[in-house]
Amino acid sequence: FTQAGTVVSARVMMDKMNPTRSRGFGFVEMENDEQAQKAVEMLNGKDLDGRKIIVNIAKPMEDRRP
């Protein structure tokens, strides 16, 4: 992500039941919207350690029905 700009923060989401295991996704906060869009364009669909990654702009979580 640093190839696209300045990374402000990065967080890998961990499994609640097994806190040593990742949930398979995370969040990267870039310095501005232009750098975030550049990261999406550069990295979405690229191979990382043998797996294709999906990179997109996060959206607010929608309300879930009980």
Side-chain angles (χ1 to χ4, degrees), residues 8-22:
V8 175
S9 67
R11 182 172 170 200
V12 175
M13 304 310 290
M14 303 305 286
D15 189 303
K16 290 180 184 178
M17 302 305 275
N18 183 353
T20 62
R21 184 179 178 112
S22 119

Side-chain angles (χ1 to χ4, degrees), residues 43 45-53:
L43 301 172
K46 298 292 182 184
D47 186 74
L48 177 67
D49 297 331
R51 297 177 70 180
K52 287 194 181 212
I53 61 171

Side-chain angles (χ1 to χ4, degrees), residues 11-40:
R11 182 172 170 200
V12 175
M13 304 310 290
M14 303 305 286
D15 189 303
K16 290 180 184 178
M17 302 305 275
N18 183 353
T20 62
R21 184 179 178 112
S22 119
R23 292 181 62 195
F25 69 96
F27 295 94
V28 177
E29 182 180 3
M30 303 299 289
E31 189 170 53
N32 58 48
D33 292 344
E34 291 80 21
Q35 291 177 12
Q37 187 59 44
K38 185 176 177 183
V40 171

